[in-house]
């Protein structure tokens, strides 16, 4: 008869595969820091976009001011004065150069308030030079700035009668 051999027990080594809780927590921390960085970048890009939009409005408004002054070269010092709605454009009224200038100033102030936060337009007239020179300053307020941002344009205008 055959003798039975006794079998020695086989040792099974088990290697646990997978992640431990500590590894998962570390991965979550690294991911959350990355997500916070992305959120900060998003906020910064939104602020830069807003600033860009305001600057675009300021440049457009200053260009409109310059074009209207060039279209009314005899307005002169009236552009540096107070604005008033003289109904020169839509009313079919034949306005003088000074009345048209006051109407333009009122229109610019209205546009500045509509497109820029606390927006203002100031015009300085200098007739000491030939040709006369205008300096248009568009100012608005913006969060994050200690001094209100401005856009300034200086241009000459030949005053032809």
């Amino acid at each position: 008869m055959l003798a039975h051999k006794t079998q020695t027990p086989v040792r099974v080594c088990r290697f646990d595969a997978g992640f431990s809780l500590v590894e998962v927590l570390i991965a979550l921390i690294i991911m959350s820091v990355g997500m916070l960085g992305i959120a900060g970048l998003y906020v910064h890009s939104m602020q830069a976009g807003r600033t860009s939009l305001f600057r675009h409005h300021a440049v457009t408004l200053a260009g409109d001011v310059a074009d209207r002054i060039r279209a009314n070269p005899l307005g002169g010092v009236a552009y540096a004065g107070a604005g008033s709605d003289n109904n020169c454009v839509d009313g079919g009224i034949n306005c003088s150069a000074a009345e048209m200038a006051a109407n333009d100033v009122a229109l610019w102030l209205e546009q500045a308030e509509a497109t820029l936060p606390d927006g203002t337009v100031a015009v300085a007239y200098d007739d000491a030079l030939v040709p006369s020179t205008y300096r248009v300053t568009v100012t608005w307020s913006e969060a994050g700035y200690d001094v209100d941002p401005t856009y300034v344009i200086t241009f000459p205008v030949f005053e032809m009668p």
Side-chain angles (χ1 to χ4, degrees), residues 34 46 48 62 114 121:
M46 293 297 288
V121 176

Side-chain angles (χ1 to χ4, degrees), residues 23-142:
E23 291 169 331
V24 171
L25 289 175
I26 290 172
L28 282 175
I29 289 171
I30 291 171
M31 237 175 78
S32 65
V33 168
M35 294 302 282
L36 284 174
I38 290 172
L41 184 62
Y42 178 74
V43 168
H44 184 69
S45 70
M46 293 297 288
Q47 290 171 344
R50 183 189 67 220
T51 298
S52 174
L53 181 67
F54 290 154
R55 290 184 189 277
H56 170 75
H57 287 312
V59 169
T60 302
L61 184 59
D64 182 52
V65 170
D67 289 343
R68 287 178 183 265
I69 290 174
R70 287 186 194 110
N72 183 18
L74 299 178
V77 74
Y79 279 110
S84 65
D85 186 6
N86 295 325
N87 208 15
C88 292
V89 177
D90 295 331
I93 299 171
N94 191 11
C95 293
S96 67
E99 290 171 335
M100 188 65 186
N103 193 77
D104 287 343
V105 171
L107 180 67
W108 300 329
L109 292 174
E110 185 180 302
Q111 288 175 341
E113 290 174 0
T115 59
L116 297 168
D118 297 329
T120 61
V121 176
V123 178
Y125 173 69
D126 184 9
D127 61 350
L129 300 172
V130 176
S132 299
T133 304
Y134 291 87
R135 180 181 173 100
V136 176
T137 305
V138 180
T139 307
W140 66 97
S141 64
E142 192 169 344

